[in-house]
Amino acid sequence: MLRQFELLEKIKSYDPEVEEKALNKAYVYAMRAHGSQLRESGAPYFSHPVEVAGILADMRFDSSTIITALLHDIVEDTNIKLKEITKNFGNEISKLVDGVTKLSKLEGRSDNFNQAENFRKLLLATSDDLRVLMVKLADRLHNMRTINYIKDRNKRKRIAKETMEIYAPIAERMGMQEIRSELDEICFEVIEPSVRETIVKRLNLLRSQDENILKKTILQLSELLNKNNIDSKVYGREKKPFSIWKKMKIKSVNLSQLSDILAFKIIVDDIEVCYSVLGILHNVYSYVPGRFKDYISTPKPNGYQSIHTTLIGPMNRRIEIQIKTKKMNEQADFGVAAHWIYKDKLKVKDGKQYKWIRQILDILDQSREPEEFLEYTKLQMYNDQVFVFSPKGDLIALPIGAMPLDFAFSLHTDIGSNCIGVKINNSIKPLSTKLKNGDQVEILCGNKISILPSWLNLSSTGKAKACIKRFIHNKEDDEFVKLGKKMLLNAFKIESISFNEKTLISILEDFKVSSVKNLYLKIGQGHVLTSEIVIALFPEKKLIKQSKKIILLNQVKKRREIKKSSILLKGLIPGMTIHYANCCHPIPGDDVVAYISSGKGLMVHIENCDSLKSTKKKYDFVNVSWDKNLNNSSNFISSLNVVLSNKIGSLGNLTSILSDNKSNIRNLKITERTNDFFKLNIDIDVSGLEHLNKIIVSLRTSTLIQNVTRL
Ligand code: MN
């Protein structure tokens, strides 16, 4: 385990301004916090955060990142709360530690790696600071280095798969080749031990054929470049089993054909020299066609730059060669972190220091729109999306602001349609809950369709809204069909004609509809009057009735006779709109009639409303009555004319009587005022006629109120 002074020396070597005091404090704090906890290896737990800090120090990160590394498992694994961290180390560190803790909670949540891309996005969305992600990567790297201490083989495999699918690609995208390849090699050993074993054997065989080939090749290449006055450094290595295996799969070569296992790097000072080196090599050795790639003129999406070529090199062995500058090399190994190496340059206050962060963001998500100004190291990735888990561990991406119904309809229309509730993170929540990153969402389903019009306000995705709308529309049509049929039956009854549905078929064409059902629909929606149907079927009726208005008034008069077939108000589905006329303000208990206002729904008036008598419009009246089961708490507006004595306190008296009777004032207007009295018009909330009558009686008992009448 790295000791305190060793860690400090490491950091000092690249950052003389290291926050020594805070670092020492964090070291001791973490050691005490983890106390006697042990790792699976039997080592003290504290060795883990220290090693993670060491990895980040090797990558030359700033003090805050390294302090975060030391503290990263405290909130998750000890009794110490985040508040304590804030108190001891301040807001910046506390935010970083909290970020790492949140990422840790997402580990092991999903076995379904088909959605690895979504999972990576979730990690990026959750870590709003680049350094949080770096600590997590270093944490994962150390856990992978020590994975063999985990005894359960399946658990090892699961962790390795997760690493390979999720974390290694993140390292790759951040341009951290070194970490990516180390993670890959360890995972390969855990997941495919026998494949790896075969490759290792082949490597051993090839090596035994010429033990010094690596050294000899480096020497020959260096001499060649020296002779041409090129200042360079040549490095050589044997390729690693996983990268060989990957190449075998891509190029579909088998193991016996495998010969180019050596890779060399030639590091020079600047870009022109890279091309000179290439010229010299291609001049002396023959190169393998199709293997040359110039990533200097065309960098990889993650910013990687280098020239690649394969030669039949010294001793006629196939070798791979990368030619790059020192800076390109550092960039390739450390990726994002390489920028910290030039930390002082970050302090330039002209905004240019953010350029590299923007570049990284572009690399991480190429679909992203160019952002305006980015705060220092702030990621804020995917802040237009939210990622949630299904009970099976699938990860679903939804637009930000999505609610449980959006999730339900995204899984399947049936799951949405039958939804009766939702559990979020195992507790029942309202359907209006906005989903958050990492939530586990479980939709509770009934066995029949339960869509309500109000669901339109409980969903935000197009898919959910479209499903809900389509359903309401169909249901509304059904309701209009039923209404139309009822209206037609009533009309026949009034005319004392016996009703036969089959006769309607003969007049379908006249009304431009294809079926009897559609005819009912048109009547129900108010596009066709029942009297028009009667006349179409029985032209002689036209002679008897002089005007439509008489028919209509007759209908109203006869309504008691046919009350049985009247339609219950509120008994209609909620999606169908019912309007209560503003002229007479009908309330439950009033005798009412209604007509279909074309395409809009039902307009309800009090039976003897004056506006009905004077209307010149032709309507189809519908007999309606109040649903006895009407919820008592529903509010209807009623309008009263009140005459008050012009005395102090009379208005107060009025309002207190109303509030004693549990009624709200909606609107109040003084219409006339004299020395003795004033007249008011007030709109109040009532639950029905009974309620209104009680209020009127109470008002009349007051000595300050001279008169009350319903408008
Ligand atoms: Mn850890």
Side-chain angles (χ1 to χ4, degrees), residues 26 70 74 76 184 211 214 247 278 325 456 461 469 475 535 570 576 625 657 671 673 680 686:
L70 288 169
I74 290 183
E76 177 91 349
D184 277 344
E211 279 180 30
L214 202 64
K247 202 148 259 179
L278 181 72
T325 65
L456 284 174
T461 53
K469 270 186 196 156
K475 184 116 189 233
I535 289 160
K570 290 280 171 180
M576 189 164 159
S625 58
I657 291 170
T671 52
R673 192 167 203 154
L680 291 173
V686 295

Side-chain angles (χ1 to χ4, degrees), residues 39 45 48 52 72-73 136 139 143:
R39 298 269 291 172
Y45 193 93
H48 165 66
V52 175
H72 83 270
D73 274 331
K136 197 66 221 166
D139 173 51
N143 284 336

Side-chain angles (χ1 to χ4, degrees), residues 164 181-182 184-186 188-189 192-204 207 237-249 255 258 261:
M164 200 159 220
S181 97
E182 187 177 349
D184 277 344
E185 294 301 333
I186 299 170
F188 186 45
E189 196 174 351
E192 299 279 10
S194 53
V195 177
R196 185 176 178 275
E197 189 54 35
T198 318
I199 293 174
V200 170
K201 271 188 192 147
R202 172 75 185 174
L203 283 176
N204 290 342
R207 200 181 300 125
R237 63 180 176 89
E238 203 173 73
K239 284 193 217 161
K240 301 250 173 63
F242 180 72
S243 74
I244 290 174
W245 186 67
K246 218 162 54 172
K247 202 148 259 179
M248 282 166 63
K249 282 213 298 194
L255 208 52
L258 180 73
I261 56 159

Side-chain angles (χ1 to χ4, degrees), residues 388 398 401-412 415-416 419-424 427-436 439-444 455 458-461 464:
V388 299
L398 294 166
M403 289 172 268
L405 286 171
D406 295 310
F407 171 80
F409 279 102
S410 82
L411 294 181
H412 197 280
I415 298 178
C419 170
I420 50 169
V422 65
K423 272 186 178 176
I424 297 175
S427 61
I428 304 259
K429 287 278 155 65
L431 288 176
S432 56
T433 312
K434 295 250 189 329
L435 299 177
K436 292 199 295 290
D439 276 349
Q440 177 166 322
V441 187
E442 184 186 346
I443 297 296
L444 308 171
W455 281 17
L458 297 173
S459 57
S460 65
T461 53

Side-chain angles (χ1 to χ4, degrees), residues 360-608:
I360 292 299
L361 290 173
D362 291 345
I363 293 158
L364 289 169
D365 181 3
Q366 284 161 59
S367 65
R368 198 181 162 80
E369 293 285 312
E371 286 255 18
E372 51 292 68
F373 190 71
L374 276 158
E375 240 186 288
Y376 179 58
T377 64
K378 277 278 181 298
L379 270 177
Q380 301 198 342
M381 296 290 288
Y382 308 107
N383 50 10
D384 54 345
Q385 285 178 79
V386 57
F387 301 90
V388 299
F389 291 98
S390 77
K392 281 186 207 149
D394 292 347
L395 198 57
I396 313 289
L398 294 166
I400 200 102
M403 289 172 268
L405 286 171
D406 295 310
F407 171 80
F409 279 102
S410 82
L411 294 181
H412 197 280
T413 314
D414 289 347
I415 298 178
S417 308
N418 295 6
C419 170
I420 50 169
V422 65
K423 272 186 178 176
I424 297 175
N425 303 326
N426 286 323
S427 61
I428 304 259
K429 287 278 155 65
L431 288 176
S432 56
T433 312
K434 295 250 189 329
L435 299 177
K436 292 199 295 290
N437 270 324
D439 276 349
Q440 177 166 322
V441 187
E442 184 186 346
I443 297 296
L444 308 171
C445 281
N447 45 22
K448 60 174 198 288
I449 293 178
S450 47
I451 296 176
L452 293 172
S454 59
W455 281 17
L456 284 174
N457 300 324
L458 297 173
S459 57
S460 65
T461 53
K463 188 176 181 193
K465 277 192 190 293
C467 287
I468 297 165
K469 270 186 196 156
R470 197 181 322 122
F471 177 82
I472 293 171
H473 195 73
N474 291 342
K475 184 116 189 233
E476 215 169 44
D477 280 359
D478 286 352
E479 212 62 32
F480 277 124
V481 167
K482 271 192 236 159
L483 181 67
K485 186 173 182 180
K486 246 176 200 174
M487 287 163 68
L488 197 59
L489 279 170
N490 284 352
F492 274 63
K493 222 169 205 171
I494 290 163
E495 299 291 340
S496 310
I497 311 166
S498 66
F499 178 76
N500 182 352
E501 199 168 66
K502 278 180 191 155
T503 60
L504 294 175
I505 297 170
S506 66
I507 56 162
L508 291 180
E509 252 180 53
D510 302 348
F511 293 95
K512 297 187 178 91
V513 291
S514 57
S515 67
V516 174
K517 193 180 161 191
N518 285 344
L519 186 62
Y520 291 148
L521 178 65
K522 281 207 159 183
I523 299 169
Q525 288 174 332
H527 299 306
V528 171
L529 297 176
T530 53
S531 52
E532 292 177 83
I533 307 266
V534 171
I535 289 160
L537 286 170
F538 307 97
E540 68 274 14
K541 292 277 174 192
K542 198 176 183 179
L543 302 169
I544 300 166
K545 307 290 179 196
Q546 288 300 315
S547 76
K548 289 272 165 54
K549 203 172 167 193
I550 297 171
I551 303 178
L552 302 178
L553 289 175
N554 276 344
Q555 280 186 333
V556 173
K557 275 183 197 148
K558 289 185 184 176
R559 72 180 284 276
R560 261 172 204 86
E561 297 163 27
I562 46 173
K563 196 155 190 175
K564 267 185 194 162
S565 60
S566 67
I567 293 159
L568 294 176
L569 281 172
K570 290 280 171 180
L572 298 168
I573 69 137
M576 189 164 159
T577 37
I578 299 175
H579 303 281
Y580 296 99
N582 278 327
C583 47
C584 54
H585 293 298
I587 57 173
D590 287 332
D591 285 332
V592 283
V593 291
Y595 58 83
I596 299 291
S597 159
S598 181
K600 283 186 201 155
L602 217 50
M603 181 63 80
V604 182
H605 286 264
I606 291 181
E607 192 181 281
N608 52 11

